[in-house]
Amino acid sequence: MDLQKEEEELVLQAVVTDTGLGMSPDKILVIEQMRTKSELGSQGEEGFGLGLMLVQSLLEQQEGKMSITSKPGIGTSIKVYFKVL
């Protein structure tokens, strides 16, 4: 995590990176539009399809934002930013 000063506000930046299956640009778009469904994980584990949608919803309520970078077969990095009051 990193605390940054942007203009007159403090912004917390948290980064989560994995070396899992990665995501295509189309999959990232689906997540950003909050239309995602659960998929099997890298070891066949089953999810609920709520994780990133819940994070995105909470960030929107706090005027935060999320960015996703990913490469299929390599992994994903998700950055979240929100104001510190």
Side-chain angles (χ1 to χ4, degrees):
M1 283 196 229
D2 186 26
L3 192 58
Q4 303 173 0
K5 187 170 186 176
E6 293 184 6
E7 296 178 17
E8 295 300 316
E9 300 175 332
L10 290 176
V11 176
L12 182 67
Q13 172 185 315
V15 181
V16 177
T17 302
D18 71 26
T19 56
L21 297 174
M23 294 184 271
S24 69
D26 289 339
K27 176 65 177 172
I28 293 171
L29 184 61
V30 166
I31 291 169
E32 291 172 345
Q33 295 174 346
M34 296 183 75
R35 298 182 295 128
T36 190
K37 298 180 203 171
S38 181
E39 294 182 4
L40 294 179
S42 59
Q43 297 180 5
E45 67 273 19
E46 195 171 334
F48 295 101
L50 297 174
L52 290 176
M53 286 180 34
L54 181 59
V55 169
Q56 185 172 5
S57 178
L58 291 170
L59 285 169
E60 286 176 3
Q61 292 175 21
Q62 299 300 317
E63 298 179 21
K65 57 185 175 179
M66 173 174 72
S67 68
I68 302 171
T69 55
S70 187
K71 292 187 179 181
I74 295 177
T76 302
S77 180
I78 298 172
K79 294 181 183 178
V80 297
Y81 309 86
F82 56 92
K83 296 175 190 175
V84 177
L85 302 174

